[in-house]
Amino acid sequence: MTPYRIALYYAPAKDDPLHQRASAWLGRDAVTGTALPQKPVAGVDIAEVTTDARGYGFHATLKPPFRLQGEVSATLQTARQFAARTAPFALPPLQITDLDGFLALRESLPCPALQLLADGAVTTLDAHRAPPTEAEIARRKPEHLSPRQREYLQDWGYPYVFAEWRFHMTLTRRLTPTEKAIMLPAVTEALGDAPALSRTISDICVFTQAAPGAPFTILERLTLRG
């Protein structure tokens, strides 16, 4: 069955404490698709604050979600070939960051290999991307984007790629200052020391969305072999 959308993400291994704790925080495991009970946070509706991130699954975007042009088997083959020629590399310790009002995990040190991985994912899979519709373009509010972001949106279907891309693993929606004061200590406690653990990016994941509005789940984990 052809999915509605497909994406290439980094996601920690199933047995990584970060996957386990972040999935519990978001309320869903993207590996199994299972809903997970969320620990209540006094003063905030934790389910509402994590709705969008829960739907996408705990991840860092490499190739943003796109509708397919052609067969999913061809896209998977291209993704496998990309993984086969890409070398594993060490991921710097992660830390919780305020990213334009969202709480997200970001790298604590510069990591050029991350940028190369994302750039390669965007370009390699783009032949399989269906052009965005006018409605999809409009949802990105191009009138509020910079000239470079509008160019990326036109050429690549997404404004935040290449020079506009930032590694991040989303934990909340955009928060008010009051909400942030509540959520920051809560998510810090929930994740514990897991973000700062040493880990290697040794695989990347194909995520799929079955239908509009459906949650994303992992279809296949691809080992980096370069």
Side-chain angles (χ1 to χ4, degrees):
M1 182 178 178
T2 301
Y4 172 62
R5 288 195 296 173
I6 194 166
L8 197 60
Y9 292 161
Y10 163 69
K14 184 178 180 180
D15 59 355
D16 188 322
L18 181 58
H19 166 77
Q20 297 163 1
R21 296 179 192 179
S23 296
W25 169 260
L26 296 180
R28 188 175 68 88
D29 187 325
V31 175
T32 63
T34 305
L36 302 172
Q38 291 175 283
K39 183 178 178 181
V41 176
V44 173
D45 182 349
I46 181 65
E48 186 275 328
V49 166
T50 56
T51 294
D52 287 345
R54 179 167 57 254
Y56 282 95
F58 183 61
H59 76 282
T61 299
L62 301 173
K63 175 68 171 177
F66 60 94
R67 290 181 297 102
L68 281 173
Q69 178 171 263
E71 298 295 325
V72 66
S73 58
T75 307
L76 285 172
Q77 183 61 23
T78 299
R80 291 168 186 148
Q81 291 169 349
F82 173 65
R85 63 176 182 265
T86 301
F89 58 92
L91 179 67
L94 302 178
Q95 58 189 11
I96 300 171
T97 304
D98 182 336
L99 183 64
D100 301 330
F102 296 81
L103 294 183
L105 289 176
R106 300 204 65 215
E107 70 274 38
S108 59
L109 298 169
C111 184
L114 277 175
Q115 185 74 55
L116 291 174
L117 180 65
D119 292 353
V122 169
T123 57
T124 300
L125 290 180
D126 206 61
H128 302 281
R129 176 179 61 86
T133 65
E134 290 185 6
E136 288 171 336
I137 292 288
R139 278 199 293 274
R140 295 293 173 192
K141 300 185 183 334
E143 66 276 12
H144 298 309
L145 299 176
S146 70
R148 182 167 64 187
Q149 290 167 348
R150 287 196 296 272
E151 181 180 346
Y152 287 162
L153 178 61
Q154 182 66 38
D155 294 345
W156 302 97
Y158 195 72
Y160 306 112
V161 294
F162 304 123
E164 297 292 334
W165 179 81
R166 290 179 288 179
F167 175 91
H168 65 282
M169 309 185 81
T170 305
L171 299 167
T172 70
R173 62 159 166 74
R174 182 173 279 115
L175 304 173
T176 66
T178 299
E179 289 172 331
K180 179 186 172 184
I182 297 171
M183 296 300 288
L184 182 55
V187 71
T188 300
E189 179 182 4
L191 299 186
D193 62 355
L197 296 176
S198 297
R199 54 180 54 85
T200 298
I201 293 188
S202 56
D203 53 46
I204 52 181
C205 297
V206 177
F207 274 60
T208 57
Q209 182 185 35
F216 280 79
T217 55
I218 295 177
L219 175 65
E220 188 170 334
R221 190 175 286 271
L222 309 174
T223 302
L224 303 186
R225 302 181 185 278

